[in-house]
């Protein structure tokens, strides 16, 4: 008598019936894995975390969404001359969505873990991002949510208060061109603004910046600067106050007022500044 368990048809039937159970188990089960090198999830062009969508050539070389437009349809892979069209790498995109990593500011108090493709956007808005004190003689560095408190405790004597009405109500700012920086503070929302001047051959560049992470989710402001002397007026209105984590000495490419040497008298600039909160779109 033939054993029914050895019949090929029965064996095939058993193999098929086990697949739905395995699939069901895997769908209901969350498993974790350890990735030894996060660099494999970075774009080979900009070396930033890959974002979705991710594109690839026919040989599998990938590029992030932001660099896709920069490579001019040419694969950036070593020795590869294949074109990169609109071919998505869905396998890598699933990995990016599934790989969760802690914020780089974990040691400073941030408890969030985000998918790897959102690492850059989160860290640009994280309240625990490290900011340097805007007082150039101070070496203190701390999280964004405590930098205001540090400044008020240690440097209040050398700063200017601004109105919290945010309607371009002006405040007088006296800044020494050689000292380069004047700090302003607003107490209601605990904000720090910096007026910077950069002396160059033909005059002085003046700009206003805010100490804050550079994310678009934070409140946006614009500013108006004016300078008057001997009947001459220089006025500038910015589209938006730029944000930075640290006061730097880089001359701004845009968003500045320029005062030529012929309108400078001595080392002091007497400015009128108004800051307005922009409406959220």
């Amino acid at each position: 008598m033939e054993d029914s368990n050895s019949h090929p048809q029965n064996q095939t039937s058993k193999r098929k019936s086990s697949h739905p159970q395995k699939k069901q188990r895997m769908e209901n089960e969350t498993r974790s894995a350890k990735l030894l090198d996060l660099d494999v999830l970075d774009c080979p062009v900009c070396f930033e975390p890959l974002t979705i969508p991710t594109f690839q050539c026919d040989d599998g070389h990938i590029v992030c969404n932001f660099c896709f437009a920069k490579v001019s349809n040419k694969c950036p892979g070593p020795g590869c001359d294949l074109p990169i069209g609109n071919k998505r790498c869905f396998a890598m995109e699933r990995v990016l969505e599934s790989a969760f990593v802690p914020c780089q500011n974990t040691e400073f108090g941030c408890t969030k873990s985000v998918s790897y493709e959102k690492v850059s956007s989160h860290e640009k808005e994280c309240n625990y991002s490290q900011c340097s004190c805007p007082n150039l003689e101070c070496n203190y560095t701390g999280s964004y949510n405590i930098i205001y408190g540090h400044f008020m405790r240690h440097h209040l004597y050398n700063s200017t208060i601004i109105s919290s009405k945010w309607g371009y109500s002006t405040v007088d700012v006296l800044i020494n061109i050689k000292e380069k920086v004047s700090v302003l503070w607003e107490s209601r929302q605990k904000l720090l603004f910096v007026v910077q001047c950069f002396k160059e051959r033909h005059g002085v560049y003046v700009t206003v910046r805010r100490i804050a992470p550079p994310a678009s989710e934070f409140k946006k402001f614009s500013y108006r600067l004016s300078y008057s002397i001997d009947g001459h007026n220089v006025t500038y209105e910015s589209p938006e106050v730029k944000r930075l984590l640290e006061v730097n000495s880089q001359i701004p490419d845009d968003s500045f007022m320029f005062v030529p040497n012929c309108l400078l008298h001595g080392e002091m600039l007497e400015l009128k500044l108004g800051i307005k909160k922009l409406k959220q779109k």
Side-chain angles (χ1 to χ4, degrees), residues 239-259:
E240 183 182 343
V241 176
K242 294 192 174 182
R243 295 158 295 233
L244 43 75
L245 299 175
E246 179 180 7
V247 176
N248 57 56
S249 57
Q250 183 178 354
I251 298 176
D253 295 326
D254 55 14
S255 188
F256 61 84
M257 181 178 74
F258 180 74
V259 181

Side-chain angles (χ1 to χ4, degrees), residues 2-3 6 33 41 45 93 104 167 170 222 226 256 273:
E2 182 180 4
D3 187 355
S6 63
L41 302 183
V45 177
E93 290 179 6
Q104 68 173 1
T170 59
S222 64
S226 62
F256 61 84
L273 169 66

Side-chain angles (χ1 to χ4, degrees), residues 110-222:
C110 185
T111 59
K112 290 187 177 180
S113 291
V114 295
S115 61
Y116 197 73
E117 56 119 0
K118 295 181 179 178
V119 166
S120 294
S121 58
H122 165 73
E123 291 177 352
K124 288 178 181 178
E125 66 185 31
C126 180
N127 277 338
Y128 295 90
S129 295
Q130 296 301 285
C131 301
S132 294
C133 178
N135 186 305
L136 297 183
E137 296 180 354
C138 179
N139 295 322
Y140 178 82
T141 299
S143 299
Y144 168 68
N145 57 359
I146 63 174
I147 196 70
Y148 174 88
H150 160 82
F151 183 87
M152 297 301 288
R153 287 192 300 272
H154 298 281
H155 310 294
L156 180 61
Y157 63 90
N158 192 25
S159 61
T160 304
I161 186 172
I162 55 177
S163 171
S164 59
K165 295 181 180 180
W166 306 123
Y168 272 156
S169 55
T170 59
V171 60
D172 293 327
V173 177
L174 185 64
I175 183 171
N176 188 314
I177 297 175
K178 289 184 177 181
E179 293 181 355
K180 301 180 181 180
V181 170
S182 179
V183 182
L184 301 91
W185 53 274
E186 188 279 322
S187 60
R188 188 173 181 180
Q189 298 181 50
K190 299 181 179 180
L191 306 177
L192 294 175
F193 294 87
V194 178
V195 181
Q196 288 184 268
C197 58
F198 306 86
K199 184 70 172 74
E200 292 298 307
R201 179 180 178 184
H202 299 292
V204 176
Y205 294 86
V206 185
T207 188
V208 178
R209 293 164 172 171
R210 181 181 160 207
I211 302 298
S216 58
E217 285 77 5
F218 281 80
K219 295 180 179 68
K220 295 183 179 181
F221 299 85
S222 64

